[in-house]
């Protein structure tokens, strides 16, 4: 049987220890009660306890000193729960005391009166704090330094030295060690609550990054930088994101923040040789401890230099770095312009003045024409010239280089690039610019517009089927012109002109050769070679210069013959006299009588007598309707006022009430016309009398007359 097992029922009651303990305790308590029945409190309570109703008057000692089964320390902690929590958790000053930290009365005695401070120097000395003013806050888990050391205790603990703290408040406990508990959070919670991870207690403007070495040591060029330089607001690596998301920051590669000035081939080869990624390959040459990318400790090997595209081989193997890379320029591109072994002009003076910096030989550079170890002699052959703008062929093969590539001014380089490859740059235009307007809208061709028709051997050599007379001159050679030879219009000259031309320029005018482009119509209008038999009548103002996409004589005539009017002739448009009605049924010769002999202009039809009716038709009214002008002078008769139908004069358009001075009322409208308009002989011809007639009643009706009209 174990010692802790209860005795069996057969054991006598007096042999049970639990019963004896209970009996002894009862006797002891009874004795103490009897003995202390008349005892009084050893002294008045401190003010903090005296104001508690349950403790006042000294009648409730057990509230502080414990009851039957409770000691004094437990009774204290019943009221001071926060202190008990510190002791249990090992926090605060009480939680860091020795094992007897629950002996409250040893530090905080009572019964010394209302003015006695229960928290005093003795209390702190017993807690291991000899000087309260120099209290080491690390005892309570707060490593206080910097600006906090300069603070007075009461700056944080307002009631630190009160003899009696106000009811409901604490003297030292209850404060938070979070920075935001005392300081306003300018980040508004975006960076979390661990302020000490970035700030120090000396000043908020001073920063630390205790965790940064795990990602990037802040040494060399990265040391002393402002945090925002790398962690700007609104970016994926902003302080708000890095410090606020609670995750561990990840390291960034050099190229995430710095632009690499190096060529792709250089970076790729160095990354491959060092077995690093392209983004992280910068550290092969640039160590973190370097203060800048130009750090004096930076070194580059011959192998790395070759990776730049410029192996340090002959003739550059003995040249110092400063010989090619001047240390003065701050700009990387100025110090390291990315030369290669064949870019001689990068270090050597260019005798050509940069003419070959672009063009077909720019990629090869000087070595396209010169050797890699010396510049002379050059090796520019006709085959290489073929890669230039003008291949050397035909008449150009026999020309010397200096004939085309000259020195414009003393001291200047000989001109190579910029020498025109067009024919007109060296040869005078034998056409006096005639074809310029015809080639402006065309796509450019090699060597200029001359090459559209002429070959490189000689100007007399034309490219087969290259000259379309219609296209180049605007004058199609067809119809009657096709039967003529070229000399009919281009008569040869005995002596060549300044351009060496003997081929004539269009047709003679006034017995002399005219310039091919003397005017817009010269060389392509009929009038340039033919007299106008119409005397310019069809070029009058108001008539169309172009008709049915044709102009000039071609508006009506064809190239086959001037007598060919197969294109039609709009008589109304061109003469102002439309051929409708009875006029449309007549032949041309009815109005335009054929001439026995042509005129000096070549005209074989006569002119019409006129455009008004009286020009061809007799006036049956004897001139009664001739109009008078403002001066009273008689003019022509406007037959169309009444006879608008051109089919027959018998078809009238006459409204008595509108077209005469006498309006027909109901009575007169029924009267026959002949009763007022009787036949008479007027101007020697019998006709009806229309005007002038009187309009008064007495002009027709005599006084007392029985007839409609008075005779004689």
């Amino acid at each position: 049987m174990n010692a802790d097992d209860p005795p069996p029922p057969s054991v006598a009651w007096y042999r049970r220890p639990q019963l004896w303990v209970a009996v002894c305790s009862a006797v002891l308590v009874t004795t103490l009660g009897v003995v202390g029945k008349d005892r009084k409190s050893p002294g008045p309570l401190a003010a903090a306890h005296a104001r508690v109703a349950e403790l006042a008057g000294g009648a409730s000692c057990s509230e502080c000193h414990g009851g039957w089964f409770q000691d004094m320390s437990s009774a204290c902690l019943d009221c001071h729960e926060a202190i008990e929590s510190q002791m249990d958790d090992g926090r605060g000053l009480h939680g860091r005391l020795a094992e007897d930290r629950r002996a409250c009365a040893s530090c905080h005695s009572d019964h010394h009166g209302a003015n006695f401070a229960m928290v005093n120097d003795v209390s702190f000395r017993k807690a291991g704090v000899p000087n309260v003013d120099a209290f080491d806050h690390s005892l309570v888990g707060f490593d206080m330094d910097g600006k906090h050391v300069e603070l007075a205790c009461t700056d944080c603990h307002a009631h630190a030295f009160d003899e009696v703290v106000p009811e409901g408040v604490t003297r030292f406990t209850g404060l938070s060690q979070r920075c935001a508990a005392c300081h306003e959070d300018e980040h508004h919670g975006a960076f979390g609550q661990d302020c000490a991870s970035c700030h120090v207690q000396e000043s908020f403007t001073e920063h630390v990054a205790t965790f940064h070495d795990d990602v990037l040591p802040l040494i060399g060029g990265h040391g002393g930088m402002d945090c925002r330089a790398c962690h700007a607001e609104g970016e994926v690596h902003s302080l708000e994101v890095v410090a606020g998301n609670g995750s561990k920051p990840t390291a960034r590669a050099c190229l995430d923040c710095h632009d690499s000035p190096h060529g792709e081939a250089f970076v790729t080869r160095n990354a491959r040789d060092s077995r690093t990624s392209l983004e992280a390959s910068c550290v092969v040459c640039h160590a973190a401890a370097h203060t800048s990318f130009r750090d004096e400790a930076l070194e580059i090997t011959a192998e790395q230099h070759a990776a730049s595209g410029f192996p340090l081989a002959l003739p550059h193997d003995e040249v110092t770095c400063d010989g090619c890379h001047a240390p003065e320029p701050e700009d990387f591109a100025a110090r390291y312009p990315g030369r290669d072994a064949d870019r001689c002009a990068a270090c050597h003076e260019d005798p050509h003045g940069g003419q070959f910096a672009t063009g077909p030989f720019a990629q090869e550079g000087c070595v396209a024409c010169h050797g890699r170890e010396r510049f002379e002699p050059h090796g520019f052959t006709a085959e290489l010239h073929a890669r230039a703008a003008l291949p050397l062929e035909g008449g150009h093969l026999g020309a010397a280089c200096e004939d085309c590539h000259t020195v414009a001014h003393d001291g200047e380089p000989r001109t190579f690039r910029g020498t025109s490859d067009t024919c007109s740059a060296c040869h005078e235009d034998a056409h006096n610019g005639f074809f310029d307007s015809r080639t402006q809208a065309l796509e450019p061709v090699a060597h200029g517009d001359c090459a559209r028709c002429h070959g490189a051997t000689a100007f007399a050599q034309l490219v087969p089927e290259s000259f379309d007379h219609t296209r180049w001159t605007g004058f199609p050679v067809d119809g009657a012109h096709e039967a003529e030879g070229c000399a009919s219009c281009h008569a040869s000259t005995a002596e060549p002109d300044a351009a060496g031309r003997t081929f004539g320029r269009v047709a003679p005018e006034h017995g002399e050769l005219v310039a091919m482009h003397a005017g817009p119509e010269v060389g392509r209008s009929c009038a340039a070679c033919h007299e106008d038999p119409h005397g310019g009548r069809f070029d009058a103002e108001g008539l169309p210069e172009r008709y049915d996409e044709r102009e000039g004589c071609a508006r009506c005539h064809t190239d086959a013959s001037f007598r060919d009017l197969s294109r039609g002739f709009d008589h109304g448009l061109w003469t102002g006299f439309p051929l409708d009605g009875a006029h449309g049924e007549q032949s041309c010769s009815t109005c335009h009588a054929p001439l026995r002999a042509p005129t000096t202009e070549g005209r074989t039809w006569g002119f019409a007598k006129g455009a008004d009716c009286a020009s061809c038709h007799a006036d049956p009214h004897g001139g009664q309707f001739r109009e008078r002008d403002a001066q009273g002078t008689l003019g022509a008769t406007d037959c169309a006022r009444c006879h608008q139908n051109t089919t027959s004069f018998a078809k009238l358009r006459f409204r008595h009430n509108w077209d005469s001075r006498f309006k027909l009322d109901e009575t007169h409208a029924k009267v026959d016309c002949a009763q007022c308009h009787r036949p008479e002989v007027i101007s020697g011809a019998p006709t009806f009398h229309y005007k002038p007639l009187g309009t008064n009643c007495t002009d027709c009706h005599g006084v007392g007359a029985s007839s409609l009209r008075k005779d004689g």
Side-chain angles (χ1 to χ4, degrees):
M1 183 175 71
N2 295 329
D4 295 333
D5 293 338
S10 60
V11 178
W13 63 270
Y14 52 84
R15 297 182 60 186
R16 297 179 179 176
Q18 297 88 340
L19 182 60
W20 282 107
V21 171
V23 172
C24 292
S25 298
V27 173
L28 179 60
V29 171
T30 301
T31 302
L32 292 174
V34 173
V35 173
K37 178 180 180 181
D38 297 327
R39 292 189 61 182
K40 296 182 179 180
S41 171
L45 294 175
H49 287 153
R51 67 189 176 196
V52 180
E54 290 81 358
L55 306 181
S60 302
C61 301
S62 61
E63 293 295 332
C64 292
H65 294 276
W68 291 96
F69 301 104
Q70 187 182 37
D71 57 21
M72 183 183 295
S73 296
S74 298
C76 293
L77 297 177
D78 283 346
C79 292
H80 300 281
E81 296 178 353
I83 301 301
E84 183 179 24
S85 177
Q86 287 186 357
M87 292 179 177
D88 292 341
D89 298 339
R91 295 180 294 103
L93 182 61
H94 294 89
R96 286 170 170 76
L97 295 175
E99 290 299 326
D100 59 348
R101 58 179 176 268
R102 289 182 176 271
C104 305
S106 65
C107 296
H108 308 288
S109 61
D110 201 348
H111 296 291
H112 300 297
N115 294 329
F116 179 73
M118 297 183 68
V119 177
N120 48 54
D121 290 342
V122 175
S123 305
F124 279 103
R125 283 197 298 271
K126 289 187 176 183
V129 182
N131 184 1
V132 177
D133 292 331
F135 181 76
D136 183 3
H137 279 73
S138 63
L139 295 174
V140 294
F142 183 31
D143 294 328
M144 192 174 71
D145 57 16
K147 290 293 183 181
H148 293 118
V149 177
E150 301 174 7
L151 298 174
C153 298
T154 53
D155 288 339
C156 296
H157 306 287
H159 304 287
F161 302 113
D162 291 355
E163 291 185 356
V164 180
V165 297
E167 187 174 359
V169 300
T170 60
R171 191 180 300 273
F172 296 108
T173 61
L175 296 183
S176 173
Q177 294 182 11
R178 293 186 304 105
C179 303
C182 297
H183 303 280
E184 184 178 356
D185 181 9
E186 294 185 358
H187 307 299
H188 307 291
F191 293 169
Q193 301 297 324
D194 187 12
C195 304
S197 63
C198 296
H199 297 283
V200 296
Q201 296 187 41
E202 281 75 9
S203 171
F204 281 114
T205 59
E206 297 182 28
H207 304 92
V208 296
T210 56
F211 56 84
H212 217 289
D213 286 348
D214 297 335
V215 180
L216 175 67
L218 297 179
I219 59 176
H222 295 112
M225 293 182 63
D226 182 72
C227 301
R228 285 294 186 186
C230 297
H231 303 282
E233 291 186 70
E235 296 182 354
V236 294
H237 294 284
S238 67
L239 290 175
E240 290 79 2
V241 174
V242 174
N245 61 8
S247 61
K248 184 178 180 180
T250 57
R252 282 182 272 176
C254 303
L255 294 183
D256 291 340
C257 299
H258 303 281
D259 292 329
S260 173
H262 299 296
E264 182 180 357
F266 178 80
V267 176
T268 302
R269 180 167 171 178
N270 273 288
R272 182 194 64 197
D273 293 345
S274 61
R275 299 181 183 278
T276 61
S277 66
L278 290 174
E279 295 76 13
S281 62
C282 302
V283 297
V284 174
C285 301
H286 305 283
H290 290 173
T291 57
S292 71
F293 287 110
R294 295 189 63 184
D295 197 284
E296 294 181 356
L298 177 66
E299 295 182 356
I300 184 170
T301 65
E303 290 76 13
Q304 290 171 332
H305 202 287
S308 70
F310 198 124
L312 296 177
L314 285 172
H316 304 104
D317 55 330
E318 296 183 358
V319 180
T320 63
C321 299
D322 291 349
C324 295
H325 307 291
E328 292 81 12
E330 290 294 328
D331 182 62
F332 180 89
R335 294 194 310 277
Y336 309 103
R339 312 178 185 103
D340 59 44
D342 290 341
R343 293 292 176 186
C344 310
C347 296
H348 302 277
E349 184 177 356
D350 181 8
H352 305 302
Q355 297 180 69
F356 297 103
T358 59
F361 306 105
Q363 189 66 29
E364 299 164 86
C366 302
V367 296
C369 307
H370 302 278
R372 284 180 169 81
E373 297 181 1
R374 58 184 179 275
F375 288 114
E376 293 181 357
H378 73 77
F380 196 73
T381 62
E383 288 73 23
L384 286 174
H385 206 289
R387 295 167 53 188
L390 181 65
L392 295 180
E393 58 185 12
H396 299 116
L397 277 173
C401 301
E402 294 77 10
D403 291 343
C404 297
H405 303 290
T406 60
V407 177
H409 303 285
D410 291 341
E412 293 185 357
R414 187 176 298 277
T415 302
F416 290 97
R417 290 295 304 283
T419 301
S420 177
D421 65 332
T422 61
C423 306
S424 58
C426 298
H427 304 279
E428 187 175 353
D429 180 12
H431 305 293
N432 294 336
F434 174 77
F435 295 110
D436 293 347
S437 62
R438 288 151 175 77
T439 57
Q440 287 177 354
L442 300 177
E443 290 293 330
V445 296
H447 317 310
D449 293 323
C450 300
R452 298 180 188 275
C453 301
H454 299 281
T457 302
F459 282 111
Q461 177 190 13
L462 293 179
V463 178
E465 301 179 358
S466 61
F467 190 78
D468 183 339
H469 205 282
T470 303
R471 174 186 180 185
W472 295 115
T473 68
F475 188 85
V477 179
D478 51 16
H481 299 112
E482 189 175 11
E484 300 291 334
C486 299
S488 297
C489 296
H490 302 280
S492 298
T493 59
E495 297 294 331
D497 60 12
R501 178 188 177 100
T502 59
F503 195 58
R505 305 176 187 275
V506 300
E509 182 177 88
H510 306 300
E512 299 178 358
L513 292 179
V514 297
M516 196 172 209
H517 199 50
E521 300 300 326
V522 174
R524 63 188 178 94
S525 70
C526 303
C529 299
H530 304 278
E531 292 286 345
D532 179 11
H534 307 295
R537 292 178 179 82
F538 297 119
D539 295 321
E541 184 178 357
L543 294 179
E545 295 181 2
R546 295 181 63 83
Y547 181 76
D548 195 19
E549 300 303 320
R550 299 187 300 273
E551 60 185 6
C553 302
R555 291 174 292 179
C556 302
H557 300 282
T558 67
D559 292 332
S561 172
F562 282 116
R563 299 180 185 280
D564 182 7
L565 294 176
S566 59
R567 290 175 174 172
F569 182 76
D570 188 338
H571 205 280
L573 172 66
W574 297 110
T575 68
F577 191 89
L579 296 180
D580 52 8
H583 298 118
E585 299 174 359
Q586 306 300 315
S587 65
C588 299
S589 59
T590 303
C591 297
H592 301 280
L595 302 177
R596 286 190 174 185
T599 65
T600 55
E601 295 90 359
R603 183 183 181 91
T604 58
W605 280 351
F607 291 105
K609 296 179 180 179
D612 58 343
C613 303
S615 297
C616 298
H617 303 279
D619 182 4
H621 305 298
Q624 296 180 73
F625 294 103
R626 294 174 64 187
E627 299 290 338
R628 292 182 181 273
D629 57 18
Q631 288 75 30
T633 303
L634 284 174
T637 300
D638 185 9
C639 304
R641 290 181 58 190
C642 300
H643 304 282
Q644 293 185 351
N645 189 289
T646 58
T647 303
S648 171
F649 282 112
K651 294 182 179 181
L652 296 178
R653 180 187 178 279
F654 181 77
R655 299 167 298 179
H656 211 286
N657 290 348
W658 290 88
D659 300 325
S660 74
R661 295 182 302 154
F662 188 79
K663 300 184 182 300
L664 297 179
D665 55 20
E666 183 178 356
T667 301
H668 291 93
K670 298 177 182 179
V671 177
D672 184 75
C673 300
Q675 291 194 35
C676 293
H677 303 288
R678 295 182 178 184
E680 295 181 10
V681 175
I682 300 176
S683 298
T687 183
F688 286 94
H689 188 191
Y690 290 99
K691 56 184 297 190
L693 291 178
T695 59
N696 295 322
C697 298
T698 56
D699 291 334
C700 294
H701 305 282
V703 178
S706 59
S707 63
L708 176 65
R709 182 175 180 179
K710 179 181 179 181
D711 293 332

